Amino acid sequence: MIPAIAYGGDYNPEQWPSAKVDEDIALMREAGVNLVTVGVFSWAVLQPQPGVFDFGWLDIVMDKLHAAGIAVDLATATASPPPWLGHLHPDTLPVNRDGVRLGYGSRQQFNPSSATYLREALVMVRALAERYAKHPALKMWHINNEYGCHVHESFDAESAEAFRQWLKDRYTTVEEVNRVWGTRFWSQQYSDWAEFVPPAAMPTLANPNMMTDWNRFCSDALLACYKAEKAVLDELTPGIPTTTNFMGAFAWVDGWKWAADIDIISNDSYPDPSDPRAAREFAFESDLMRSLGGGKPFIQLEQTTSAVQWRARNAVKRPGQYKLWSLQAVARGADGICQFQWRQSASGAETFHSGMVPHAGKASRTWAEVVELGSALSSVSAVAGGRVEAQAAIVWDWESAWAQRNAIGPVEIEPLTIAKSWHATFFESGIATDFLHPDHDLGKYKLIVVPSLFQLSETFAAALAQAAEQGAHVVVGALTGALNADGHAQLGGYLGPLAPLLGVRVVDYAPIGVTPQPTEIEAGGALDGPDLDAVYEPISSLVKTPATRASVPLVAADGSGLGGNAIGWVEELEILDGAGVLVKATFDSLDLPGAPAVTRRPHGQGVAWYVGTNPDARGRGDIITAVLAEAGITAVLPVQVPGVEAVQRGSVLFLLNHGDVDAVVPQLSGTILYHGAPPAPAGQVTGQPAGGAVLSGGSVTVAARNAVVLQL
Ligand code: GAL
């Protein structure tokens, strides 16, 4: 069994003299570490030459960890092949879009479609599995590492062949590919399978549906690598669960498709501590991971104690944030908190990435916080296995996001940013949310938000209508249903099959905040002022340019109090039967005065809302507040306390104060499992968790950047 709640990190003893292992293990025990990921980047050490293996050091590490009661998440080490592999078999090295073969000396230099890479990777996996199958420390397999992080595609001949096969499997005939890709445009029609090649460098805009298929293929090619490793492990070590670490909603792997083959979902997350919105990021990713696992607990497999080293400027976590964000992940469904990495490296590309044991050693704030978190996690272990019950869900679909990103126009809006902004509204309002794939059962939710589903199928439109029929509130955001299931433009009005449910037809799109590009302005590269000269420019000076303001006010149409601003994007809506207009906007335009922006249409037992713009925080907040009130969904806390995120998991309530001032949370009943003391001023920890106190309708003070956890 994997310990719950697991605490630990990537342990890379091969980077250090062997004598350090005993010291490491003593420190791990001091910190309460009970799970370490070993060997993520140790292929070159485990197999220094073809056919030559050195497991001696790993045997010792595994034995010692086990003797200390520390479980091992053993990595298959295949993420970073040794130099000999690339040297002997250049075909294992990926080729980039420009035809350049990427070299070794960094990491992840493998071509996902290389048969040689896979063969050699499986030799490594088999050797590890055979050697450690019966080792009592082995509790989980960590397959590869962050698939696709640096290399998610390769443009070599082997990948081309694999892509052709993938297309044959998906479409059966060349004609069908031609139809879906719309190859009559620009004379792209194919006549034979042999003509299909990966979309490497080309003169100008690429065929969008070709690109989306390429994205699907690349995700599938990586998934095939994962599955091949898992098959060996399942054969040799049945019962030992496997994981591979996701990176949130990382663009290049379709998490929903992958999740089905992952025993324990795990995630890596590195929000920027300099961003006041960083905790939203952790919340978003945690909710996504929990949802990928169908509600089961996940493991936060990587985060860091303080700063990363790969941003231009690397903010350190402020005192308390490491623990606070870790408890946040636990609150939202994590049964394990692990970091990259145990001991901060003394050499190599990540020397200045923080670790649990920093360069400064034990006499450091980092170490004090590492020990403090270990103790906090053990105080809240009662939450392990618990579920977060959400009544609201957000639809997220990687395939639609690919289609939207690959579409050329109508506007550059990143679908993930839109999804995150709606999630942020729920985060800020204290409402739990799950994520959903369009094929999932919508039945259990009172509220379903579709932030922006560019490519929409009739099946999903019917499912949404059925959910509303049965009482759900359905909120659909702009840029939904631009494409049909084939990835072709929705004819007859965007939203297509959703139009009857919403009572809205999108007749046209109109970005706002549009100014002429410098190259389209006269010589000099910039307009010489807001007004053209009526005397010398008598023609142009009489032309209005309506849509230049990027943000325009949203105005309540019926005195409902909804407000905020529309940013960057509007739609020309035709209101159909049954829909009422809640919010209008004059989109900085003489052409769309007082245009409908937010609509509401009762349907069956439920209601369908349409938001035909990209509202700002207030706009989204007002809409969601109105919808929540109608849907009867209430926040976790009866009174929202500024700075405090409240999350209930099972019967455990987490109060997480992200603010810089202490917060008092009233009307609480339960037994305190953990009461974090205020952050220590000078690199030490003050106070201990004051567990055991019982509250009955009383209040509790949650210190700044700290947490209180209650058993309800
Ligand atoms: C992850 C990776 C780790 C480490 C970490 C640093 O992408 O899996 O090995 O590089 O980032 O932030």
Side-chain angles (χ1 to χ4, degrees), residues 127-360:
L128 277 165
E130 281 169 350
R131 189 160 191 102
Y132 298 108
K134 298 275 176 292
H135 200 290
L138 175 67
K139 299 295 183 215
M140 177 161 76
W141 284 109
H142 177 98
I143 295 183
N144 201 281
N145 190 63
E146 291 188 342
Y147 274 104
C149 176
H150 310 297
V151 175
H152 70 275
E153 58 188 359
S154 179
F155 298 86
D156 61 291
E158 217 173 346
S159 299
E161 190 49 48
F163 184 42
R164 281 190 281 276
Q165 187 56 51
W166 185 93
L167 289 170
K168 282 182 201 170
D169 293 344
R170 184 177 175 92
Y171 293 108
T172 311
T173 65
V174 171
E175 292 67 39
E176 181 64 356
V177 188
N178 280 319
R179 185 189 71 78
V180 172
W181 288 10
T183 56
R184 293 279 174 124
F185 190 75
W186 281 0
S187 180
Q188 292 169 350
Q189 193 159 302
Y190 295 81
S191 63
D192 189 275
W193 287 113
E195 295 161 10
F196 290 94
V197 289
M202 56 188 79
T204 183
L205 309 174
N207 179 304
N209 286 357
M210 170 181 71
M211 294 307 293
T212 302
D213 272 339
W214 175 249
N215 296 148
R216 290 189 181 101
F217 160 75
C218 291
S219 173
D220 286 357
L222 287 167
L223 179 56
C225 292
Y226 168 84
K227 283 186 179 177
E229 291 198 22
K230 181 169 168 56
V232 172
L233 298 172
D234 285 350
E235 172 205 329
L236 296 176
T237 59
I240 301 290
T242 59
T243 193
T244 189
N245 39 355
F246 284 131
M247 295 163 281
F250 176 68
W252 306 120
V253 299
D254 179 346
W256 293 119
K257 196 165 183 187
W258 282 61
D261 287 293
I262 297 175
D263 298 329
I264 297 176
I265 300 290
S266 66
N267 189 46
D268 298 354
S269 189
Y270 296 91
D272 184 351
S274 73
D275 185 347
R277 294 161 293 235
R280 291 180 182 176
E281 185 70 17
F282 235 56
F284 176 90
E285 293 197 7
S286 298
D287 290 354
L288 181 60
M289 292 304 129
R290 189 186 69 242
S291 303
L292 287 175
K296 283 189 299 188
F298 64 96
I299 295 184
Q300 184 66 43
L301 206 54
E302 280 188 30
Q303 59 156 355
T304 189
T305 51
S306 188
V308 300
Q309 98 297 10
W310 38 261
R311 294 192 173 100
R313 301 184 73 79
N314 299 291
V316 294
K317 283 185 179 164
R318 297 182 61 205
Q321 276 181 335
Y322 166 60
K323 180 183 73 183
L324 182 61
W325 295 356
S326 301
L327 290 176
Q328 183 190 29
V330 174
R332 288 175 181 267
D335 268 2
I337 298 293
C338 298
Q339 352 297 320
F340 176 86
Q341 61 180 329
W342 165 250
R343 193 180 272 280
Q344 187 173 13
S345 296
S347 58
E350 298 192 295
T351 300
F352 295 101
H353 190 289
S354 59
M356 297 172 81
V357 184
H359 287 160

Side-chain angles (χ1 to χ4, degrees), residues 272-584:
D272 184 351
S274 73
D275 185 347
R277 294 161 293 235
R280 291 180 182 176
E281 185 70 17
F282 235 56
F284 176 90
E285 293 197 7
S286 298
D287 290 354
L288 181 60
M289 292 304 129
R290 189 186 69 242
S291 303
L292 287 175
K296 283 189 299 188
F298 64 96
I299 295 184
Q300 184 66 43
L301 206 54
E302 280 188 30
Q303 59 156 355
T304 189
T305 51
S306 188
V308 300
Q309 98 297 10
W310 38 261
R311 294 192 173 100
R313 301 184 73 79
N314 299 291
V316 294
K317 283 185 179 164
R318 297 182 61 205
Q321 276 181 335
Y322 166 60
K323 180 183 73 183
L324 182 61
W325 295 356
S326 301
L327 290 176
Q328 183 190 29
V330 174
R332 288 175 181 267
D335 268 2
I337 298 293
C338 298
Q339 352 297 320
F340 176 86
Q341 61 180 329
W342 165 250
R343 193 180 272 280
Q344 187 173 13
S345 296
S347 58
E350 298 192 295
T351 300
F352 295 101
H353 190 289
S354 59
M356 297 172 81
V357 184
H359 287 160
K362 280 183 68 175
S364 58
R365 166 160 74 91
T366 293
W367 178 252
E369 292 200 24
V370 163
V371 174
E372 186 189 11
L373 176 58
S375 145
L377 291 175
S378 77
S379 306
V380 303
S381 59
V383 79
R387 300 266 179 152
V388 175
E389 297 299 338
Q391 295 181 310
I394 296 173
V395 173
W396 170 250
D397 178 16
W398 271 270
E399 291 191 273
S400 173
W402 288 332
Q404 188 163 352
R405 291 173 186 140
N406 292 328
I408 297 145
V411 69
E412 278 180 25
I413 289 187
E414 168 51 44
L416 183 56
T417 308
I418 302 283
K420 284 184 175 176
S421 69
W422 284 97
H423 182 268
T425 299
F426 288 102
F427 167 81
E428 298 286 349
S429 321
I431 305 289
T433 43
D434 286 343
F435 285 93
L436 283 176
H437 181 272
D439 290 346
H440 285 170
D441 178 13
L442 310 180
K444 87 179 238 230
Y445 297 100
K446 284 185 176 176
L447 166 56
I448 299 151
V449 177
V450 184
S452 176
L453 196 67
F454 199 69
Q455 181 164 355
L456 174 84
S457 69
E458 302 221 348
T459 321
F460 182 56
L464 278 176
Q466 194 192 7
E469 182 81 39
Q470 292 168 355
H473 284 252
V474 171
V475 178
V476 176
L479 279 165
T480 293
L483 302 179
N484 64 20
D486 278 337
H488 294 177
Q490 181 65 58
L491 304 180
Y494 306 123
L495 286 178
L498 269 182
L501 169 66
L502 297 164
V504 172
R505 196 170 76 96
V506 178
V507 180
D508 207 351
Y509 291 148
I512 55 174
V514 185
T515 51
Q517 301 196 13
T519 50
E520 291 166 12
I521 304 171
E522 62 191 66
L527 286 168
D528 46 8
D531 298 317
L532 292 159
D533 188 314
V535 175
Y536 292 94
E537 299 165 301
I539 296 176
S540 306
S541 63
L542 282 187
V543 178
K544 305 276 185 211
T545 50
T548 52
R549 275 196 297 156
S551 159
V552 297
L554 292 169
V555 181
D558 58 352
S560 64
L562 305 187
N565 292 286
I567 305 172
W569 184 249
V570 303
E571 295 177 346
E572 185 184 338
L573 306 185
E574 179 190 335
I575 305 300
L576 308 176
D577 277 357
V581 177
L582 296 183
V583 172
K584 289 188 176 180

